[in-house]
């Protein structure tokens, strides 16, 4: 995309920048999947909650899914359409408000369902609105290699195994929900569905809907979209049920960057370190948690012939708040801009103000190339979270 030079200059020194045309490209693909498969794709707010874009996202997707009261309120207030909910457990004091916000609620265990069932039944009697309830199942099959993201590891708290449910769906339960994928292609979904059908097929025949969770990397270039469409149709037609997908990452995937700036350059026993005005732990935590090395625009993985190799250092005191190394075509300069690619999903939703480090601003590059600053943060945002 061509960004006007002046528009690029207008981007603050630390800023998450979403490119609207890239977001629309992802959403166009999701519209295609929905139209071809008859399934519904809803936005997982845990991964993508940049609500200044929700009016755009809503043109393509019928709703959102929350994992807390705060997300459910945001979904209701800013996204509109269907509001789904799925979390490991619910606070009793939140539940009344959750029922007001949500039209689909997934319970992680039968004990949670039994605990809240009377309130749901009461709500149905007193209101015109029906809340469709589901149980999160654990198909005991996942291809996710990082334990941090694998909900099927021994001792997992996520989902109910088939032995606990038996032959009949609990009275009042209309849906099943599984979430066992993470950045997977549709071949993984196909193998996962074999396990789901083998273990839970009898329950799917009794259900009204199946939510296949997130982790579908639909918008990645090598994702097999036609297979996904076939799989959704297969489930819809075999069990005569509605099918939902709730990706977060795939919506924000490669839709923008984090603009940063070099504050200092130092030599640490022969290793050149560029200290930045952003922090990996506070602003890009998945880089350290997953871990993965984010791409920097114009830089490459170094080899022994590279002269201008730098480690990127965050501005917090955490020794491990660093990433690297990266080879640049020329020496870095203090004040120079560094662009971390693909920094829209699971970033803004996870930021902290550790060390009092300011949160990066948030902006959008519009399809005409103009930059629009949406929000900036300061001392009050830091202070309001403390007392
Ligand atoms: C229950 C559930 N649904 C959806 C998602 C979104 O997954 P992703 O952003 O990988 O598509 C997650 C992520 O952890 C999840 O736990």
């Amino acid at each position: 995309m061509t960004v006007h030079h002046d528009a690029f200059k207008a981007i603050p020194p630390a800023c998450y920048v979403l490119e609207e045309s890239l977001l629309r490209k992802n959403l166009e693909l999701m519209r295609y999947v929905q139209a071809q498969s008859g399934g519904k794709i809803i936005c997982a707010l845990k991964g993508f909650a940049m609500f200044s874009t929700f009016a755009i996202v809503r043109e393509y997707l019928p709703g959102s899914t929350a994992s807390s009261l705060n997300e459910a309120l945001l979904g209701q207030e800013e996204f509109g359409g269907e509001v789904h909910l799925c979390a490991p457990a619910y606070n009793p004091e939140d539940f009344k408000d959750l029922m007001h916000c949500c039209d689909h609620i997934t319970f992680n265990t039968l004990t949670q369902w039994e605990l809240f069932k009377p309130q749901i039944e009461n709500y149905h009697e007193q209101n015109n609105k029906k809340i469709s309830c589901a149980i999160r199942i654990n198909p005991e099959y996942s291809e996710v290699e990082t334990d941090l993201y694998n909900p099927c590891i021994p001792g997992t708290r996520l989902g109910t195994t088939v032995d606990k449910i038996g032959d009949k769906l609990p009275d009042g339960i209309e849906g099943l929900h599984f979430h066992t994928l993470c950045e997977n292609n549709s071949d993984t979904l196909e193998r996962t569905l074999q396990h789901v059908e083998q273990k839970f097929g009898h329950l799917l025949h009794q259900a009204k809907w199946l939510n296949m969770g997130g982790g579908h990397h639909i918008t990645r270039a090598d994702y097999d979209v036609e297979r996904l469409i076939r799989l959704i149709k297969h489930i819809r037609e075999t069990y005569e049920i509605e099918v939902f997908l709730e990706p977060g990452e795939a919506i924000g995937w490669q839709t923008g960057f984090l603009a940063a700036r070099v504050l200092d350059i130092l030599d640490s026993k022969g290793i050149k370190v560029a200290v930045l005005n952003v922090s990996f732990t506070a602003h890009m935590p998945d880089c350290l948690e997953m871990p993965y090395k984010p791409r920097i625009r114009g830089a490459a993985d170094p080899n022994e012939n590279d002269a201008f190799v730098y480690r990127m250092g965050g501005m917090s005191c955490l020794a491990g708040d660093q990433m690297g190394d990266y080879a640049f075509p020329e020496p870095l300069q203090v004040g120079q801009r560094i662009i971390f690619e693909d920094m829209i999903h699971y970033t803004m939703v996870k930021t902290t103000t550790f060390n009092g480090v300011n949160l990066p601003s948030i902006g959008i590059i519009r399809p005409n190339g103009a930059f629009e600053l949406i929000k900036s943060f300061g001392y009050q945002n830091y202070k309001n979270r403390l007392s």
Side-chain angles (χ1 to χ4, degrees):
M1 114 128 300
T2 14
V3 181
H4 293 159
H5 186 62
D6 287 348
F8 211 79
K9 278 205 317 213
I11 296 171
C15 189
Y16 295 110
V17 181
L18 175 131
E19 300 191 34
E20 182 183 329
S21 53
L22 297 177
L23 178 67
R24 284 191 184 274
K25 189 169 149 234
N26 283 354
L27 294 166
E28 291 288 348
L29 183 62
M30 291 185 181
R31 174 185 275 162
Y32 170 78
V33 170
Q34 295 182 102
Q36 295 301 308
S37 69
K40 284 185 176 172
I41 300 181
I42 53 178
C43 172
L45 299 180
K46 70 186 77 184
F48 182 81
M50 186 173 165
F51 60 87
S52 51
T53 68
F54 282 178
I56 296 169
V57 184
R58 219 15 205 114
E59 292 175 30
Y60 304 83
L61 307 185
S64 65
T65 182
S67 26
S68 60
L69 178 57
N70 287 336
E71 284 186 356
L73 287 166
L74 190 73
Q76 186 190 42
E77 229 173 78
E78 297 288 342
F79 203 104
E82 298 182 20
V83 182
H84 293 230
L85 177 71
C86 176
Y90 301 117
N91 285 320
E93 58 273 24
D94 289 347
F95 205 72
K96 202 161 154 238
D97 292 333
L98 284 171
M99 288 190 296
H100 281 298
C101 298
C102 302
D103 36 69
H104 291 69
I105 299 183
T106 295
F107 295 89
N108 188 51
T109 57
L110 295 175
T111 46
Q112 278 274 296
W113 162 241
E114 291 300 335
L115 180 67
F116 292 112
K117 184 180 175 187
Q119 287 187 63
I120 294 270
E121 286 174 344
N122 217 3
Y123 188 85
H124 287 167
E125 268 168 37
Q126 289 174 4
N127 296 274
N128 237 345
K129 195 183 103 181
K130 171 112 197 288
I131 300 167
S132 188
C133 295
I135 294 290
R136 176 168 177 174
I137 55 172
N138 174 4
E140 299 173 82
Y141 179 82
S142 173
E143 298 183 10
V144 177
E145 279 163 15
T146 310
D147 278 359
L148 187 64
Y149 297 101
N150 184 347
C152 299
I153 49 170
T156 182
R157 70 191 183 295
L158 301 170
T160 299
T161 45
V162 67
D163 51 303
K164 292 197 173 131
I165 305 181
D167 291 339
K168 254 184 73 44
L169 272 189
D171 188 37
I173 290 295
E174 298 185 337
L176 293 178
H177 180 297
F178 71 87
H179 170 75
T180 57
L181 278 66
C182 178
E183 297 192 338
N184 288 127
N185 209 318
S186 49
D187 59 328
T188 301
L189 177 64
E190 185 161 43
R191 288 186 288 275
T192 303
L193 282 174
Q194 282 163 9
H195 288 257
V196 169
E197 290 192 77
Q198 196 198 343
K199 291 197 171 92
F200 296 92
H202 60 295
L203 299 175
L204 286 173
H205 280 296
Q206 302 163 37
K208 290 191 176 159
W209 53 274
L210 173 66
N211 187 322
M212 301 192 195
H216 313 272
H217 227 173
I218 304 172
T219 47
R220 195 176 67 202
D222 68 346
Y223 187 89
D224 186 343
V225 170
E226 296 307 321
R227 188 201 268 121
L228 172 66
I229 291 168
R230 267 199 322 274
L231 293 172
I232 296 173
K233 276 167 107 171
H234 161 73
I235 295 293
R236 283 186 57 236
E237 286 160 14
T238 309
Y239 304 99
E240 296 180 2
I241 54 176
E242 222 181 341
V243 171
F244 297 98
L245 263 61
E246 48 177 34
E249 174 158 358
I251 294 169
W253 174 250
Q254 293 188 342
T255 58
F257 54 87
L258 172 60
R261 194 162 64 179
V262 178
L263 297 180
D264 193 14
I265 298 170
L266 55 96
D267 187 297
S268 179
K269 295 258 178 204
I271 296 172
K272 288 199 278 286
V273 185
V275 182
L276 307 175
N277 65 340
V278 293
S279 156
F280 293 95
T281 186
H283 307 141
M284 305 170 256
D286 275 0
C287 298
L288 301 180
E289 284 176 17
M290 184 78 173
Y292 79 95
K293 184 181 174 189
R295 274 182 301 115
I296 292 180
R297 195 171 295 178
D301 282 337
N303 62 46
E304 66 270 20
N305 300 322
D306 286 313
F308 313 118
V309 176
Y310 295 84
R311 190 156 297 175
M312 297 293 121
M315 69 184 317
S316 82
C317 67
L318 179 73
D321 188 4
Q322 58 172 12
M323 187 64 56
D325 296 331
Y326 295 88
F328 289 83
E330 289 170 15
L332 287 185
Q333 308 292 334
V334 168
Q336 183 173 335
R337 192 158 253 175
I338 299 288
I339 302 288
F340 288 98
E341 302 286 11
D342 196 21
M343 281 296 163
I344 299 300
H345 53 89
Y346 290 103
T347 49
M348 291 169 240
V349 290
K350 287 183 122 183
T351 48
T352 70
T353 53
F354 180 49
N355 276 224
V357 171
N358 205 15
L359 300 172
S361 303
I362 295 175
I364 300 178
I365 294 172
R366 295 298 178 191
N368 67 3
F371 172 74
E372 195 178 314
L373 180 62
I374 302 292
K375 202 179 257 188
S376 286
F377 303 91
Y379 172 57
Q380 288 307 327
N381 300 98
Y382 164 72
K383 189 179 176 190
N384 281 342
R385 298 173 56 183
L386 300 167
S387 68

